[in-house]
Amino acid sequence: MAKKDLLIVESPAKAKTIGKYLGPDYLVMASIGHIRDLPKNKLGVDIEHDFQPEYVVSEGKDKVIRELKKAAKDIDTIYLGPDPDREGEAIAWHIAESLGPNNHNYKRVLFNELTPQAIKEALASPVPISKTRFESQQTRRILDRLVGYMISPVLWDKLKRGLSAGRVQSVALRLVVERERLINAFVPEEYWTVTAAFLHQDMPFEALLTKFQGSPISLTNEDEAQIVVKACEDQYFTITSLTSKERQRRPLAPFTTSTLQQNAYTRLKLAPARTMRLAQELYEGLDVPGGSVGLITYMRTDSVRVSDQALNEAKNYVLDTLGQDYVPSKPYLYKNKKGAQDAHEAVRPTSVARTPETLKGHLSTQHWQLYDLIWRRFVASQMSPSISKQTAAEFLVSDYTFRATGSIITFKGFLEIYDPGSDEDKNILPPLKEGESHRPETITPKQHFTQPPPRFNEGTLVKELEDKGIGRPSTYAAIISVLRDKEYVYGQKGLLRPTEMGLTVNDLLTANFPTIMDVDFTAGLEENLDQIEEGEAEHLTILRKLYTPLAKSIEEAKTNMRNIKLDGLPIDLPCPSCGNPSSINIRYGRNGFYLACRLCSYTTDFTRDDRGLPQPAAPVALESEILCDRCGKPMVPKRGKYGLFLACSGYPECRNTKQLKTTDEGIATIDEETPPPLPEGFDPVCPKCGSTMVVKKSRLGSWFIACTGYPKCKNAVAFPSGLKCPRPGCTGEIITKNSKRGVFYSCSAFPLCKTILKGVPYREPCPVCDFPYQVSSNSKTNPGQVLCPNPQCPRNSSDTSDGSSAIATSDTYYNPQLSKMASSFSSLTKRLAKPSAKAKTTVRKPATRNRNTKKT
């Protein structure tokens, strides 16, 4: 039997797509990402020996390496086909290192797209593994490790364990914090406009005041605006100037990684991380009519270059569907931004003939939406410009000049396929003639205020990172995800705002690591990484460039960085308890940040005003005095990790608490939601102490069943929902659980079954498969979307990784065989724990000691 050639890629989906095209002559296997990395529990970089990295096998990859070695045995040539970027080059390098020479000849193949022709061309033209590209990735990895593993412990010591710093992450946080402080420091200025509204030939239009006696005019208050209104009232406005010109609007370039993330966020409300996951799946291949195929080219690129073949495809499609007028005289060639890498084409469809309409119903909703966006942007980039007629009319009245503008599209051009979404070409003026006089219907003054710079959303933050050269397009999604996961920033109506932790961490890092937090320094390192890849710079030089100032700053920070846990941050606020004018500090405790006086015992929560300054939280007002139902003492309102609650003033002798809620008027009342009854068949007697079991509400709002003998008896169980787990073969049921993010619903058979619902279940059968309940999604992108949790439901027949499925779970599903093994093992251990009847047992008496002897 003839030997098969071995091709190793990094993704099982990619292996499936390529294997389908190559047939039985090739064995295509996946490394499932990186197989080696720096160790997690230590620095893993030998600084004294030229920053030599210590690589270890990644968690769970021992089996993968064994299978690859087994497949590679007796094979001469091994093709390495991970993604064509730095990370892919590192994966290829580590695969070759792990498999060893062993008479293997390694060849690197670069797949820019996963189509039959592209795959065969890549295999026919292999290249050596790029040492400089690998060194560039390795240098970036070491730089990130040095910053993260050397700075983070300083933050743990001074503020809180678990905090992290990052070479790019921390600079991105600085951008968000500085934007927030610009907004806080902004002082709005008043200004006024005057608008004249006309009606001519049944067409309304408006003219805006622009000049006085031929010079630009600005109105700063209402009195000035009223002077203009009185001067122009009951007057005729004469057209002194009328100009018309034709304007061409060229299409935009095809997507790069950055512009794809920005547009997907703006148009589809997809977070950058979600966009990149969907794009990766479109690139690696999805099942469509004809089988699995890669639908787009490689999605990590900052080039707008397009192959001649793709340009001809786009031209022929436009020619056949729209006609010659929509095809430019010659193809558009777009220029890359300064510093862009040109290794890969722009993000485009692998085949223009594969239109979004032909794929509708074969892809999940978000896959289809993203593909449609990519397809339209690319096809439109090779279409004729749109043409519009722009008209401007100037009206003169009492030395004041008003200006009206409008335009009308005379030829849509590329707008037939892709509209960038601008409001241009939407305002139309009626037919006007120079010298005509028109009397306005109304003259309206309007007050305005200057606006601060807007907060970043995830799309505009990506643009800011790209404009400043911070990070690479492929890392933007991960950067934003880390800022959210570490709770340094949070989203409010889609806008990113720093948390109190984010503000504090940024201030500590900026004060103590000015070089690392410098935007230009970080951008310069990114350019250095590009130079390493091109062979124009030596990686040790770049590592020393960062490490030298970092090591110096670390030693200084250990001594000089303010210890928030011990000293707090001083602020200019008087203490309301002892009266000291400047003794209040911001401190951090187990429930978060709070204000405390360093001279007395005064503490309080705080909020920040519109200027960003800390202010003590307003005292909680109770509707009426509430007495403890256990000891009769007054209950007092307090703030905790989970918000407002009532606590007995007899603490610690009485630990009674009650949940509070706040009315619209700011009055705190007891949350008296009626608890549901005990589930049918549930034994109301506590099996541990014999007291009564009752239904209670957790601080996060979920119901549970607990013993009334608390705190002596702490028996408690989750409140069952009566809804069975949707996983096939699982005998568990859905229960309510709490986490730091709130209430969620999961299977009671955890950890054997790790099913988690993506929302709130409610008892209404699925109209398609009659499953007994459905799920109302709590996703930020599709809140309230109705989902079916049944994996076999036709509603979930397409790829469900976009969130259309109601189930979110890890790769470990319920395994009935594993359940039996666990049960058998449990029984076996119980039997082994029992002494045999035949076995001779020896009972030792407890040792005695003199009561007057000290225990050592």
Side-chain angles (χ1 to χ4, degrees):
M1 183 177 178
K3 292 181 181 178
K4 293 184 177 183
D5 289 325
L6 177 60
L7 169 62
I8 303 174
V9 295
E10 82 285 7
S11 159
K14 191 174 178 181
K16 175 185 173 183
T17 302
I18 295 176
K20 185 194 75 169
Y21 292 129
L22 294 181
D25 294 335
Y26 283 84
L27 175 61
V28 186
M29 300 182 69
S31 67
I32 316 178
H34 285 273
I35 61 173
R36 296 201 308 175
D37 199 0
L38 299 176
K40 290 185 176 180
N41 56 354
K42 59 180 180 178
L43 182 63
V45 179
D46 190 346
I47 297 170
E48 296 180 357
H49 293 86
D50 290 335
F51 302 95
Q52 187 67 31
E54 175 193 343
Y55 289 111
V56 297
V57 175
S58 299
E59 186 177 353
K61 294 302 176 68
D62 299 271
K63 181 181 177 182
V64 174
I65 294 176
R66 286 197 303 270
E67 291 176 348
L68 292 177
K69 284 183 175 180
K70 182 179 178 181
K73 188 177 181 181
D74 301 327
I75 290 182
D76 298 329
T77 301
I78 299 176
Y79 295 93
L80 302 174
D83 285 349
D85 58 8
R86 291 175 188 165
E87 293 300 317
E89 208 70 27
I91 294 173
W93 185 282
H94 288 307
I95 291 174
E97 288 283 310
S98 298
L99 299 185
N102 297 330
N103 299 319
H104 297 317
N105 178 25
Y106 296 101
K107 293 185 177 181
R108 181 80 165 100
V109 287
L110 305 173
F111 300 114
N112 186 58
E113 58 184 74
L114 299 187
T115 57
Q117 180 181 350
I119 292 169
K120 291 173 183 177
E121 288 177 355
L123 287 169
S125 307
V127 296
I129 299 177
S130 172
K131 182 179 180 181
T132 56
R133 183 177 291 176
F134 167 69
E135 285 182 343
S136 176
Q137 187 276 343
Q138 182 172 258
T139 304
R140 180 201 63 78
R141 189 75 184 92
I142 294 173
L143 288 174
D144 291 344
R145 177 56 65 98
L146 290 174
V147 173
Y149 273 53
M150 294 179 71
I151 295 181
S152 297
V154 182
L155 290 175
W156 302 350
D157 183 51
K158 306 293 184 178
L159 181 52
K160 177 192 174 185
R161 287 196 65 84
L163 297 177
S164 74
R167 180 180 61 88
V168 179
Q169 159 203 323
S170 298
V171 178
L173 173 62
R174 180 177 184 175
L175 294 178
V176 176
V177 170
E178 289 184 347
R179 177 60 61 89
E180 186 71 18
R181 286 178 171 156
L182 276 177
I183 294 170
N184 291 335
F186 183 82
V187 179
E189 296 181 2
E190 181 184 11
Y191 71 96
W192 287 71
T193 58
V194 178
T195 304
F198 297 88
L199 184 66
H200 180 59
Q201 295 185 4
D202 295 328
M203 291 183 65
F205 68 97
E206 293 181 343
L208 185 69
L209 173 69
T210 57
K211 299 176 183 177
F212 175 67
Q213 294 182 349
S215 299
I217 185 175
S218 60
L219 307 176
T220 58
N221 55 59
E222 185 177 8
D223 292 340
E224 293 178 356
Q226 289 297 339
I227 291 173
V228 176
V229 172
K230 290 179 180 178
C232 299
E233 276 180 336
D234 300 325
Q235 300 290 322
Y236 279 91
F237 288 53
T238 303
I239 300 177
T240 57
S241 172
L242 187 64
T243 58
S244 293
K245 62 180 179 179
E246 190 176 83
R247 174 180 176 264
Q248 287 193 354
R249 186 180 178 190
R250 291 187 56 169
L252 300 173
F255 283 130
T256 61
T257 304
S258 170
T259 54
L260 176 62
Q261 291 175 1
Q262 294 170 43
N263 279 259
Y265 184 85
T266 303
R267 290 168 172 262
L268 307 179
K269 304 305 179 186
L270 293 175
R274 184 73 191 140
T275 297
M276 294 307 291
R277 283 198 297 273
L278 293 168
Q280 180 85 36
E281 290 158 3
L282 290 172
Y283 162 72
E284 291 179 345
L286 296 172
D287 288 328
V288 296
S292 179
V293 63
L295 297 176
I296 64 171
T297 55
Y298 191 56
M299 63 287 155
R300 293 185 179 91
T301 177
D302 49 9
S303 171
V304 291
R305 175 178 58 83
V306 175
S307 69
D308 292 339
Q309 178 185 350
L311 292 178
N312 289 329
E313 277 193 36
K315 174 184 175 182
N316 293 333
Y317 174 84
V318 175
L319 192 62
D320 293 341
T321 55
L322 295 173
Q324 184 66 52
D325 291 342
Y326 289 85
V327 178
S329 56
K330 59 181 181 180
Y332 289 139
L333 301 178
Y334 297 91
K335 291 184 64 176
N336 287 326
K337 287 188 175 183
K338 182 181 178 181
Q341 297 178 343
D342 198 37
H344 313 297
E345 290 187 53
V347 184
R348 62 168 177 83
T350 53
S351 173
V352 172
R354 201 175 288 113
T355 63
E357 288 73 20
T358 63
L359 299 179
K360 200 156 193 175
H362 300 285
L363 300 179
S364 65
T365 301
Q366 290 183 339
H367 280 115
W368 185 86
Q369 289 176 333
L370 190 64
Y371 179 79
D372 179 68
L373 187 65
I374 294 169
W375 187 91
R376 291 182 180 279
R377 175 77 169 235
F378 170 65
V379 173
S381 71
Q382 294 302 318
M383 291 179 63
S384 300
S386 69
I387 301 175
S388 59
K389 181 181 179 182
Q390 291 189 326
T391 304
E394 289 192 344
F395 297 79
L396 183 64
V397 54
S398 302
D399 290 336
Y400 294 101
T401 301
F402 287 72
R403 182 179 177 84
T405 58
S407 62
I408 184 171
I409 296 175
T410 57
F411 176 68
K412 292 191 72 171
F414 75 93
L415 296 177
E416 291 280 5
I417 295 289
Y418 180 84
D419 188 349
S422 171
D423 288 332
E424 295 181 19
D425 307 324
K426 301 290 175 67
N427 186 34
I428 301 175
L429 290 180
L432 298 172
K433 294 181 181 179
E434 193 169 331
E436 284 182 342
S437 295
H438 297 270
R439 189 171 180 175
E441 300 284 312
T442 59
I443 301 177
T444 307
K446 190 173 182 180
Q447 183 186 42
H448 306 270
F449 291 92
T450 54
Q451 297 297 311
R455 290 185 174 91
F456 292 114
N457 59 40
E458 294 194 16
T460 55
L461 182 56
V462 165
K463 186 176 188 307
E464 186 78 2
L465 292 170
E466 182 186 36
D467 290 345
K468 293 187 177 298
I470 301 169
R472 300 299 303 171
S474 58
T475 65
Y476 296 153
I479 292 168
I480 296 173
S481 294
V482 170
L483 292 180
R484 280 184 172 274
D485 292 344
K486 291 296 180 181
E487 298 183 354
Y488 292 161
V489 303
Y490 69 99
Q492 187 179 57
K493 296 182 179 179
L495 302 177
L496 297 177
R497 302 186 65 169
T499 62
E500 199 64 41
M501 183 64 76
L503 291 169
T504 305
V505 168
N506 173 76
D507 291 348
L508 292 176
L509 294 179
T510 305
N512 293 274
F513 301 96
T515 302
I516 302 300
M517 295 292 288
D518 183 69
V519 171
D520 294 333
F521 180 80
T522 305
L525 285 176
E526 295 297 338
E527 293 178 5
N528 295 149
L529 294 176
D530 294 340
Q531 292 168 354
I532 294 173
E533 182 172 344
E534 299 297 326
E536 299 173 357
E538 210 278 321
H539 70 283
L540 288 178
T541 304
I542 308 306
L543 288 170
R544 294 188 185 106
K545 176 182 178 181
L546 175 131
Y547 179 73
T548 302
L550 175 62
K552 180 182 178 182
S553 298
I554 290 287
E555 292 306 313
E556 294 176 350
K558 289 178 180 178
T559 304
N560 299 334
M561 182 181 285
R562 178 174 289 277
N563 192 318
I564 306 299
K565 291 190 289 189
L566 297 179
D567 306 324
L569 286 172
I571 58 174
D572 189 19
L573 278 180
C575 175
S577 178
C578 68
N580 193 289
S582 57
S583 61
I584 297 294
N585 284 356
I586 296 179
R587 290 180 176 270
Y588 183 77
R590 64 179 183 177
N591 291 329
F593 290 89
Y594 64 98
L595 299 183
C597 179
R598 64 176 181 271
L599 300 179
C600 68
S601 60
Y602 172 77
T603 62
T604 183
D605 295 313
F606 70 95
T607 58
R608 290 187 180 268
D609 60 18
D610 293 340
R611 313 300 298 164
L613 301 176
Q615 299 294 332
V620 179
L622 289 177
E623 199 169 29
S624 60
E625 185 181 48
I626 300 173
L627 300 179
C628 177
D629 53 9
R630 292 186 185 177
C631 68
K633 293 182 179 179
M635 302 283 282
V636 292
K638 293 192 175 184
R639 292 181 187 269
K641 185 177 182 180
Y642 304 105
L644 284 175
F645 69 99
L646 273 182
C648 180
S649 59
Y651 179 89
E653 289 76 18
C654 180
R655 297 172 179 261
N656 188 22
T657 62
K658 291 183 180 294
Q659 198 68 26
L660 283 179
K661 62 181 180 181
T662 306
T663 65
D664 295 338
E665 293 76 24
I667 305 297
T669 61
I670 297 178
D671 189 353
E672 295 180 322
E673 185 178 352
T674 304
L678 287 171
E680 186 177 348
F682 190 91
D683 188 354
V685 179
C686 177
K688 292 186 177 181
C689 70
S691 299
T692 305
M693 299 290 285
V694 295
V695 179
K696 293 188 175 183
K697 195 174 188 180
S698 73
R699 290 174 177 173
L700 288 175
S702 64
W703 299 108
F704 67 100
I705 303 173
C707 179
T708 54
Y710 181 86
K712 290 183 179 180
C713 179
K714 298 184 179 180
N715 183 29
V717 294
F719 190 85
S721 64
L723 306 175
K724 69 174 186 177
C725 175
R727 283 285 168 206
C730 180
T731 57
E733 68 174 40
I734 297 300
I735 59 174
T736 307
K737 290 188 177 181
N738 296 319
S739 75
K740 66 179 182 179
R741 295 181 182 272
V743 177
F744 68 97
Y745 300 84
S746 67
C747 181
S748 60
F750 180 87
L752 298 178
C753 178
K754 298 186 178 180
T755 294
I756 298 174
L757 299 184
K758 291 183 177 178
V760 181
Y762 65 98
R763 296 177 186 273
E764 183 174 317
C766 173
V768 177
C769 70
D770 290 328
F771 196 78
Y773 64 93
Q774 297 181 76
V775 173
S776 177
S777 170
N778 55 14
S779 163
K780 291 182 179 179
T781 55
N782 292 304
Q785 180 186 12
V786 177
L787 308 172
C788 179
N790 180 12
Q792 278 81 40
C793 179
R795 291 162 66 183
N796 301 324
S797 60
S798 61
D799 182 18
T800 57
S801 61
D802 69 323
S804 60
S805 171
I807 301 173
T809 181
S810 71
D811 293 334
T812 306
Y813 296 152
Y814 176 77
N815 187 329
Q817 186 64 31
L818 182 63
S819 178
K820 291 179 182 178
M821 291 169 60
S823 177
S824 300
F825 181 76
S826 176
S827 300
L828 177 62
T829 53
K830 288 179 180 179
R831 289 200 303 273
L832 292 175
K834 294 179 180 179
S836 170
K838 298 179 181 179
K840 184 178 180 180
T841 58
T842 302
V843 180
R844 291 186 177 183
K845 293 182 179 181
T848 59
R849 64 182 179 89
N850 192 323
R851 291 180 181 272
N852 296 324
T853 304
K854 287 187 177 180
K855 186 177 179 179
T856 59

